[in-house]
Amino acid sequence: MVERAGSGAVAAETSVVPGVGKRRRGWVLAGLAVVLGGVLGFHRLVPNWPGRLGSLIESFLPWGGALVVVLLVVSLVRRSAVALVALLLPVGVWVDTFGGLLLPGQEGGGRELVVVQHNVSDENRDPAGTARALIEAGADLVALEELVDPQVAAYEKALAADYPHHVVRGTVGLWSKHPLSGEQVVDIKPRSIEEGWSRGLRAVVRSPYGDVAAYVAHLPSVRVGVGGLASQRRDESAALLGRAIADESVEPVILLGDLNGVVEDRGLRPLTSQLAFAESGFAFSFPAAFPLARIDQVMARSAAVGHIRTLPATGSDHLPVVARVALE
């Protein structure tokens, strides 16, 4: 009798009220949805330490949409109403932040320039083929980075007929259908980098719609490791470039470059605070084999950057991007 009573007591203690476990799991999913919505909506409040955590999160912010889909699938499998309701928060924030990039963009007007931006890679084995692919975009301006000898001569030869005007400074260059003037180096070298590093230039494009100040830049690379995001040099270089553009007297201004950062990344704030960027199109450009982020950027002041898109892969580890810039 004692044993049976004890067994009954154990059974009573270990029995679970039907649905309690599912409800708990539903609340966990709901909590995750709220946290995700908070990160998407208030990523600027995430501290940038340790390891530049804020910038790291912002680098992959659009992929928060993929996490929403995962939570949605799990919530449906669990049949959790509370989780599904909570998911409305990150869905709404993501659509408000990135939904416009899914739209096709407005048709181009009369006062616009088509521009191409491409990091061609210093290990590109087919510069002539890369140049031919870029020519097919029919752009007014073509900005290239990681130009090294003897590839420079190959690009100059391949692009000469379609782009009679060009300037190369250091490892960056600008090719134009329209005359150029005022070509000069823009010093964006971080203090910790040795002399001889030159990745910025500025030129005035004599476009059919008036003068346009064009900047081409290649900011230092960032690395993701056990210590987080190593972006100190990139951030310092962005600040130097931002000061140069702030002092620019010619309007409009167009910036083309491999900025090694997405527009949401606070490290590029010296640029994004004064320049407009693409209104539609994700155009993930790196790495070319499986693009995860758009670090190749087109930005402008006193002008609007319309739809941005990628071009087919070339011999580079980046995809080229092309955009229409409507001048004010």
Side-chain angles (χ1 to χ4, degrees), residues 109-294:
R111 291 174 49 84
E112 70 173 19
L113 297 175
V114 178
V115 301
V116 164
Q117 149 60 28
H118 191 28
N119 179 326
V120 293
S121 175
D122 54 8
E123 298 180 352
N124 194 323
R125 297 182 179 180
D126 186 19
T130 296
R132 288 192 297 271
L134 300 179
I135 290 171
E136 292 180 2
D140 296 275
L141 303 176
V142 175
L144 304 181
E145 298 84 44
E146 291 199 13
L147 295 170
V148 294
D149 292 327
Q151 295 179 2
V152 176
Y155 287 112
E156 289 175 334
K157 180 179 180 181
L159 294 170
D162 292 88
Y163 298 93
H165 313 282
H166 85 281
V167 54
V168 175
R169 294 289 186 272
T171 59
V172 299
L174 177 68
W175 275 258
S176 173
K177 289 186 176 181
H178 314 297
L180 300 174
S181 65
E183 301 93 334
Q184 64 187 67
V185 170
V186 179
D187 185 7
I188 59 173
K189 183 181 75 65
R191 288 167 293 181
S192 60
I193 294 181
E194 297 179 358
E195 294 296 329
W197 188 96
S198 180
R199 291 187 179 185
L201 71 79
R202 176 258 192 195
V204 175
V205 181
R206 307 290 186 184
S207 83
Y209 317 111
D211 289 353
V212 177
Y215 285 75
V216 181
H218 183 190
L219 302 189
S221 300
V222 300
R223 294 289 184 269
V224 179
V226 292
L229 187 71
S231 63
Q232 295 92 332
R233 287 179 171 179
R234 192 278 312 271
D235 296 350
E236 183 181 348
S237 190
L240 293 170
L241 180 58
R243 290 178 200 145
I245 292 176
D247 292 337
E248 177 59 59
S249 59
V250 175
E251 298 287 345
V253 175
I254 299 176
L255 169 62
L256 303 149
D258 173 4
L259 304 186
N260 272 304
V262 301
V263 295
E264 293 82 17
D265 188 337
R266 68 193 68 183
L268 298 186
R269 188 65 180 163
L271 302 171
T272 55
S273 62
Q274 59 176 317
L275 299 172
F277 38 87
E279 299 171 348
S280 66
F282 281 97
F284 292 158
S285 62
F286 183 83
F290 188 78
L292 294 173
R294 185 177 79 237

